[in-house]
Amino acid sequence: MRVGIDTIRCWPSTLALPMRALVEARGADPVEVVDRMLIDERTVCPPWEDPVTLAVNAARGLVSEDELSHVDLLLVGSESGPDQEKALSTWVHRYLDLPSGCRNLELKHACYAGVGALHLAASWVATRPDPEARALVITTDLSRQHFH
């Protein structure tokens, strides 16, 4: 059985700043960030956006309501957390209105969590007897890195 990525999408945020202006405002060297790291713009999440809303917005524009009804596995890779109790994946599951039988799992460990989630999803899909079974993999974070 062949398994692969059907669709892919990025939802960075609704706001952004020019990186050069941000670096200069923080008293850092623009060459270090803009030129060496090749970052031209940085998203800025307003108070009404968090890792959950970023994940849900990315998924909503990626798959239809009908496709969401076939998602049997939700994997969310993140180092962020909206609270100190529930896994972020449970909030994504709720706001996407995924089927009650859909399993959800949050994976921690920065960007590598997304890669691990892709491998896990591919193996899971390959072992399903139902050809309609789908896995949804989302990575989401709020970076607090750079410039204090």
Side-chain angles (χ1 to χ4, degrees), residues 12-143:
S13 179
T14 54
L15 302 175
L17 289 172
M19 198 60 169
R20 185 169 299 280
L22 179 60
V23 171
E24 289 170 354
R26 302 286 186 185
D29 181 12
V31 170
E32 181 66 31
V33 177
V34 178
D35 296 342
R36 287 196 188 130
M37 296 176 71
L38 304 175
I39 302 172
D40 294 321
E41 200 172 54
R42 179 181 171 97
T43 59
V44 179
C45 288
W48 58 87
E49 289 183 335
D50 63 11
V52 174
T53 59
L54 296 176
V56 171
N57 283 328
R60 284 256 182 243
L62 181 69
V63 292
S64 70
E65 293 296 322
D66 183 57
E67 290 170 316
L68 285 174
S69 70
H70 291 288
V71 173
D72 292 331
L73 178 65
L74 169 67
L75 301 173
V76 179
S78 181
E79 283 197 346
S80 299
D83 59 32
Q84 299 298 319
E85 295 179 16
K86 296 177 93 167
L88 194 148
S89 61
T90 61
W91 292 107
V92 175
H93 182 274
R94 176 182 180 179
Y95 291 121
L96 285 176
D97 198 27
L98 294 174
S100 60
C102 173
R103 311 268 177 166
N104 75 77
L105 177 66
E106 180 177 349
L107 296 91
K108 295 287 187 188
H109 203 274
C111 300
Y112 188 66
V115 174
L118 280 173
H119 286 282
L120 181 59
S123 298
W124 182 87
V125 168
T127 62
R128 298 291 101 191
D130 179 7
E132 294 296 316
R134 297 286 183 262
L136 177 59
V137 176
I138 300 173
T139 60
T140 182
D141 261 323
L142 282 185
S143 173

